[in-house]
Amino acid sequence: MTPSTGQHFFRHYRDIIFLLSGIIAGSLAGLLLQEQVLVLKPIGDIFLNLLFTAVVPMVFFAISSAVAILDNTGVTARLVSATITVFIITVLLAAIIAVIGVRLFPVTQHLESIATTVEKTEPLGEQLVKLVSVGEFYELLSRKNMLALIIFSLLTGIAARKAALSGESFRRLLHSGNEVMKQLLGLIMLLSPVGLGVYFACQVAVTGPQLFGDYAQSLATGHIISVFYYLIVFTAYALLSGGWSAVQRYWRNNLLPSATALGTCSSVATIPANLKAAKDMGLPAPVTDMVIPLGASLHKEGSAIAAVIKVAVALALAGRAIEGIDTILLAMLIAVLVSIIEGGIPNGGYVGQLLIVSAYQLPATVLPAIMIIGTLLDPVATLLNATGDTVAGLMINRLVTGNPAKLERLNRN
């Protein structure tokens, strides 16, 4: 590895390297100091509190600003409907495959339970009402009502878009707020190596070295499912979109986006490579311009798979498991929502992790564990998130044109 190559590698993996360094340092401190390390726990609490206070406005601005500008893409209703359909179906399939994977190969069956009490289960109707709505506006400002906030943000974005010229200033405000909150979250995440390192030290001190084996098992399962999805499912998608010629076009031009996604851990950073790959695959400009940028923000199959893994870990930590139709359906719903709400930036899954804690009414102490797993799964999840957009474009083009033979002719026009 040349010096320039080493610098390039470090620049793209810097955040993960720092986080892993914090985790390793915390683990050693937990092993060596044991319960004495618990005196540092307030440091981790401060980090989590900063994250909790930033996440609510971040979610609001991110979602409402994205929805507010949808009409500015200039695409046809048919292309929009095909894009939404493919995005939702592929993310749901990713979630289903992940659920099957963790059911066949349980990832957290040896994790120690940290739940001390079990709350009485409310009727399903009441749970649904509390999950999707609140009675007062100020309740939207609580991280415990994340899904209600997401729905309110979607409606705000739609209203801002429908306001046309009168809503122009408000749409600029939403966009500006989104950019500011991204910077704020970035500042807070600078503390993550220390904050999560302290939490990990406390976990190691309490649960012991067995914790490492449990995380390794979860991560191995997540990577096996992801590699299967990348090689087999993406190939099947390309085959459905245009036969073996589409499969060949996809894999011949998917190398650069794959390397870019793994190297940057960012769906947004992979957009230029994806745009070039989509063009080389023969996708027409209208499909490319719609699917690639929108997919970087709203289409994340890797994040859906990672979300199911994190749900399994979080439930096991609370003495529960992914079983029962209501638990499984909620996990799939969370996977779809995570695919939509996560930003195309490294470590953008923290919002989804908070949603898991909120939706399943889990103790906040499970959050550091799933944050660690989410970070370690980030490279392979980004690989699926980014490279899934081009194969989705092939399928969307098939739905729009009705015949893959029209692809090259439409592209020439």
Side-chain angles (χ1 to χ4, degrees), residues 28-375:
L28 293 175
L31 287 172
L32 296 176
L33 302 177
Q34 298 184 357
E35 292 187 359
Q36 296 179 12
V37 80
L38 297 178
V39 71
L40 299 176
K41 189 174 181 295
I43 297 176
D45 291 335
I46 292 173
F47 165 70
L48 289 182
N49 287 341
L50 286 172
L51 188 62
F52 288 148
T53 55
V55 70
V56 170
M58 185 193 70
V59 169
F60 171 75
F61 282 113
I63 295 178
S64 57
S65 62
V67 174
I69 64 173
L70 282 180
D71 269 355
N72 295 332
T73 58
V75 297
T76 64
R78 185 175 181 183
L79 181 54
V80 171
S81 62
T83 299
I84 294 174
T85 300
V86 170
F87 280 3
I88 292 177
I89 290 177
T90 52
V91 169
L92 275 175
L93 182 58
I96 291 172
I97 291 175
V99 169
I100 293 174
V102 297
R103 291 285 292 168
L104 292 176
F105 308 100
V107 297
T108 54
Q109 68 269 32
H110 298 302
L111 285 178
E112 295 290 336
S113 174
I114 61 173
T116 57
T117 60
V118 178
E119 297 183 2
K120 182 180 179 180
T121 302
E122 298 178 339
L124 180 60
E126 293 184 17
Q127 292 186 51
L128 180 61
V129 171
K130 291 183 177 180
L131 184 63
V132 302
S133 65
V134 294
E136 299 286 348
F137 176 79
Y138 71 87
E139 293 179 306
L140 290 172
L141 304 180
S142 171
R143 60 182 172 84
K144 297 179 181 179
N145 300 311
M146 190 66 65
L147 185 54
L149 174 66
I150 292 171
I151 294 174
F152 180 82
S153 302
L154 287 169
L155 294 175
T156 300
I158 294 173
R161 190 183 67 217
K162 291 176 68 66
L165 291 178
S166 300
E168 181 63 28
S169 297
F170 186 72
R171 289 193 294 272
R172 286 199 300 267
L173 173 64
L174 293 176
H175 175 74
S176 178
N178 186 33
E179 294 302 316
V180 170
M181 295 312 301
K182 285 181 181 179
Q183 295 299 321
L184 176 59
L185 186 63
L187 292 175
I188 294 174
M189 292 313 300
L190 292 176
L191 303 175
S192 62
V194 176
L196 291 180
V198 168
Y199 254 108
F200 206 79
C202 295
Q203 288 192 39
V204 170
V206 173
T207 62
Q210 179 62 37
L211 191 63
F212 294 106
D214 294 325
Y215 278 132
Q217 183 191 22
S218 304
L219 294 172
T221 300
H223 280 83
I224 290 172
I225 296 172
S226 298
V227 170
F228 170 81
Y229 198 88
Y230 178 72
L231 296 176
I232 305 301
V233 179
F234 280 174
T235 298
Y237 287 163
L239 185 65
L240 288 173
S241 68
W244 285 111
S245 63
V247 173
Q248 294 171 359
R249 287 198 307 272
Y250 175 71
W251 286 113
R252 186 168 59 245
N253 297 289
N254 195 41
L255 208 47
L256 178 60
S258 297
T260 304
L262 286 173
T264 63
C265 290
S266 171
S267 298
V268 170
T270 312
I271 287 178
N274 263 345
L275 290 173
K276 182 180 184 302
K279 180 180 179 181
D280 294 340
M281 290 176 195
L283 282 173
V287 175
T288 299
D289 293 342
M290 169 68 178
V291 174
I292 301 305
L294 195 60
S297 297
L298 302 179
H299 181 233
K300 297 182 176 64
E301 292 148 288
S303 296
I305 292 174
V308 173
I309 300 294
K310 288 180 281 189
V311 166
V313 172
L315 289 176
L317 285 169
R320 298 160 61 183
I322 294 188
E323 57 184 15
I325 188 65
D326 54 340
T327 301
I328 292 175
L329 288 178
L330 183 55
M332 293 173 60
L333 175 61
I334 289 174
V336 173
L337 291 174
V338 165
S339 176
I340 295 172
I341 66 177
E342 283 190 8
I345 57 176
N347 303 317
Y350 295 111
V351 175
Q353 291 152 16
L354 290 170
L355 179 60
I356 291 172
V357 174
S358 173
Y360 284 102
Q361 299 181 353
L362 299 174
T365 47
V366 308
L367 186 60
I370 59 177
M371 289 175 75
I372 291 168
I373 289 177
T375 299

